[in-house]
């Protein structure tokens, strides 16, 4: 830890110690940072009064006379509950982390300033339709009304970080959306990883390590990958951005005669939750569902006539370009048409506890040049080259916010199809259903078309001076994949390959594994007519479809020489593949899988091994099935002997049992998956601080695993290799026939304030598979209300 982190942590630790004692004025002081959910507040910017009624979980029911006023109310309520989260995310997007955390934040700020996402957010606002801009301004006015009328201290994070909230702007809301674009677009990370391995593995081995989707042909990498053979320093992990579930059935497949739709998006597990629940009521409409704090409206949810849910498609919308510097001129680079100069600008980063840092940012015809000290590419490039990023989201005319806001009030399939034309990024598998018994799937985004002669395949950095690697336009909106009212009456997606056979365009060559989709599709097909209850059972299903494929390959690798191994094999031979927190089998199986991956790849990867120590499901199955001779990975290259896969499997079981014996004792029957598999919810930024992490973070044992529908993924390479860090942040089931019977839950709670009872009140519900309803009828809203707040318009002439 740097001295700057230590300085911040020391001061913060003192504050936490005082809080823990509960005997000081400090704790009383910060308890007054809790917002007032009751009473009447005079505010400017409303055309009529707005009611904010909150239920037992503090979920706001915002009732207004216009959509602008209801979004004003949403801004006010979100600021009451998530002010620090909104401020922190916005500052990160602006490249201002170092203002809060000191020199440790400079590298992040350099990267964010280089991408220029906040600058693009500002430009995008000017391209939006006037009505959309007005709604963004209404939301911002609501946030700012809270800042002006709030009393008491700010939430404790502001004091610890030494900042005060700045007035909210429409560009801040667009930046929140662009933060999701960044989180859900990671192609360049895979490109960097393949390039970095070029100095350690052969092209064929790299192709093995990044296998194609099951049933797809291999993806041969270009010969020029050898340009990166001199790469120095170890690789970094490729982030997991591909996980979520959604499905829908038609009225013919529902007990109500109307469609049902389910959605549970999977992201990093954080506290406060990435999602915020709300009900927005204005004349002619009720919108209910999940909001991105700082975002002006329902992102995932339902209205009076429709429901919609999304999963990440994971298309290839990013390409890195290896740009060749002009001979003797570092201010220029080579293009197919000759020499061009970099576009340049300078920016200054203010640094807490340090001096300002001024940086020069360069861009090419493809996009921004990645910083020379960017941690993922440091030591990667040959002398005389830089890397530039082309990404569809790096455009000033991004109308995604307009589409996102408009969809919440869509009435029909025709509306969805028309409104999503404006949607740019990140591409989502959007399933929807309406009250006319129409169901569908739509994939909307701006997806680049690549030249057939482009042998990079979008998988490794391309040659920036060769025109065949330039994008050749975008897939026309009308030719993007979609499904309307399938004969089966069901549609499901789980980040699997969602394009039909023979589709003429390539969305990506990096689809996620299909195991969750296979299980969802199977469970949907098993029941002729579904209900909210059967959808709930599917959403909470803990059957591991990958284990169903992998475990038989492991069990046949005997003989097993020790009693412990025979006992483990006996337990697993009778296991039903349920990742049940109360059972030993999931723990034994996962430890065995983890040890096996190490036995297979550690010898070839050397110091790069930990970056790739993950589930590697498709790769592992191909190795054990010896697809295309990939069983060669089982040979330990550090020995003269030739080892087979069965020997690696046997050794891995011994490794796993030794690990579990040391951690959980000798009695295998008392081992529990839940003892190792805690869902860990991390706080930004305090998870990185000793002592503070124990105050702000939360964790709870959980069933499920990396490949179950009830996903709770973990990182083999981490200090706690079975702790879940990625999963469903929001679960919802929408009943089109009886909308108020729809079910909802988020991971932690509505509030981001550590002193609030709503900071983590939903966590037990989430962990135990429980839900609640969010009614929209005036009678039920009033009956369930625990708090009543009125925002009263203040006349323009009032002082």
């Amino acid at each position: 830890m740097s001295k700057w982190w230590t300085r911040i942590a020391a001061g913060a630790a003192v504050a936490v110690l005082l809080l823990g004692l509960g005997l000081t004025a400090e704790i009383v002081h910060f308890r007054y940072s809790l917002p007032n959910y009751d009473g009447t507040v005079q505010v400017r910017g409303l055309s009529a009064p707005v009611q904010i009624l909150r239920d037992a979980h503090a979920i706001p029911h915002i009732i207004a006379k216009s959509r602008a006023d209801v979004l004003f109310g949403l801004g006010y309520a979100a600021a009451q509950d998530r002010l620090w989260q909104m401020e922190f995310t916005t500052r990160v997007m602006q490249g201002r982390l170092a203002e809060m955390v000191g020199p440790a934040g400079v590298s992040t700020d350099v990267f964010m300033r280089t991408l220029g996402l906040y600058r693009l957010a500002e430009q995008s606002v000017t391209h939006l339709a006037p009505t959309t801009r007005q709604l963004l301004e209404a939301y911002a006015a609501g946030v700012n009304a809270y800042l002006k009328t709030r009393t008491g201290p700010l939430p404790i994070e502001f004091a610890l970080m030494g900042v005060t909230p700045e007035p909210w702007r429409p560009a801040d809301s667009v930046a929140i959306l662009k933060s999701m674009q960044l989180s859900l677009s990671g192609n360049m990370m895979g490109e960097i990883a393949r390039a970095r391995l070029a100095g350690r593995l052969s092209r064929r081995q790299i192709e093995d390590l990044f296998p194609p989707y099951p049933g797809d042909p291999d993806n041969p990498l270009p010969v020029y990958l050898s340009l990166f053979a001199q790469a120095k320093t170890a690789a970094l992990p490729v982030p997991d951005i591909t996980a979520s579930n959604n499905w829908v059935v038609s009225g013919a497949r529902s007990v109500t005669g109307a469609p049902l739709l389910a959605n549970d998006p999977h992201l990093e597990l954080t506290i406060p939750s990435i999602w915020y629940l709300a009900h927005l009521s204005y004349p002619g409409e009720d919108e209910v569902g999940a909001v991105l704090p700082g975002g002006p409206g329902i992102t995932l949810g339902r209205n009076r006539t429709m429901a919609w849910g999304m999963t990440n498609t994971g298309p290839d919308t990013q390409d890195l370009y290896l740009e060749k510097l002009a001979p003797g001129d570092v201010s220029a680079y080579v293009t197919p048409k000759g020499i061009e100069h970099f576009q340049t600008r300078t920016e200054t980063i203010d640094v807490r506890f340090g001096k300002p840092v001024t940086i020069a940012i360069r861009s090419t015809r493809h996009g921004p040049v990645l910083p020379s000290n960017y941690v993922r590419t440091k030591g990667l490039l040959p002398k005389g080259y830089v890397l530039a990023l082309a990404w569809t989201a790096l455009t000033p005319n991004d109308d995604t916010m307009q589409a996102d806001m408009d969809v919440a009030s869509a009435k029909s399939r025709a509306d969805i199809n028309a409104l999503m034309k404006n949607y740019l990024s990140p591409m989502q598998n959007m399933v929807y259903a309406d009250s006319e018994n129409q169901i569908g799937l739509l994939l909307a985004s701006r997806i680049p078309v690549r030249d057939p002669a482009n042998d990079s395949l979008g998988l490794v950095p391309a040659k920036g001076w060769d025109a065949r690697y330039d994008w050749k336009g975008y897939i026309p909106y009308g030719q993007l994949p979609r499904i309307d009212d399938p004969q089966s009456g069901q549609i499901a997606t789980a980040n699997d390959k969602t394009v039909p056979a023979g589709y003429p365009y390539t969305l990506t060559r990096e689809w996620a594994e299909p195991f969750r989709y296979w299980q969802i599709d199977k469970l949907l097909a098993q029941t002729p007519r579904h209900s909210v209850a059967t959808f709930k059972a599917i959403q909470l299903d803990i059957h591991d479809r990958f284990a169903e494929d992998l475990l038989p390959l492991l069990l046949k690798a005997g003989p097993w020489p020790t009693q412990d191994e025979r006992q483990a094999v006996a337990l697993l031979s009778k296991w039903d593949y349920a990742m049940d927190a109360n059972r030993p089998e999931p723990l034994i199986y996962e430890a065995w899988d983890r040890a096996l991956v190490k036995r297979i790849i550690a010898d070839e990867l050397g110091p790069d091994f930990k970056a790739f120590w993950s589930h590697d499901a498709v790769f592992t199955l191909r190795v054990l099935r010896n697809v295309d001779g990939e069983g060669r990975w089982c040979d330990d290259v550090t020995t003269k002997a030739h080892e087979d896969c069965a020997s690696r499997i046997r050794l891995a079981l011994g490794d796993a049992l030794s690990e579990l014996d040391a951690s959980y004792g000798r009695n295998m029957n008392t081992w529990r998956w839940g003892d190792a598999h805690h869902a860990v919810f991390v706080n930004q930024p305090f998870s990185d601080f000793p002592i503070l992490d124990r105050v702000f973070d939360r964790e709870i044992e959980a069933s499920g695993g990396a490949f179950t529908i009830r996903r709770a993924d973990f990182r083999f390479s981490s200090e706690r290799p079975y702790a879940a860090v990625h999963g469903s942040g929001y679960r919802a089931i929408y009943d089109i026939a009886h909308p108020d019977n729809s079910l909802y839950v988020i991971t932690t709670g509505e509030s981001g304030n550590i002193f609030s009872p709503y900071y983590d009140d939903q966590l037990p519900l989430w962990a135990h598979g429980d839900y609640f309803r969010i009614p929209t009828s005036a009678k039920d809203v009033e009956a369930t209300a625990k708090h009543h707040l009125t925002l009263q318009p203040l006349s323009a002439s009032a002082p």
Side-chain angles (χ1 to χ4, degrees), residues 595-612:
L596 177 61
V597 172
K598 183 175 183 179
R599 285 282 180 179
I600 291 173
I601 67 174
D603 52 318
E604 285 89 355
L605 291 178
D608 285 325
F609 158 64
K610 283 197 73 173
F612 297 93

Side-chain angles (χ1 to χ4, degrees), residues 18 186 367 401 724:
L18 293 172
M401 175 60 77

Side-chain angles (χ1 to χ4, degrees), residues 678-710:
H678 281 208
V680 179
F681 299 85
V682 297
N683 177 275
Q684 291 183 329
F686 298 123
S687 281
D688 294 326
F689 293 92
I691 303 177
L692 282 175
D693 58 346
R694 285 179 280 165
V695 175
F696 284 91
D697 292 358
R698 293 291 184 272
E699 62 179 81
I700 192 168
E701 71 172 45
S703 294
F707 300 104
T708 57
I709 300 173
R710 186 176 181 171

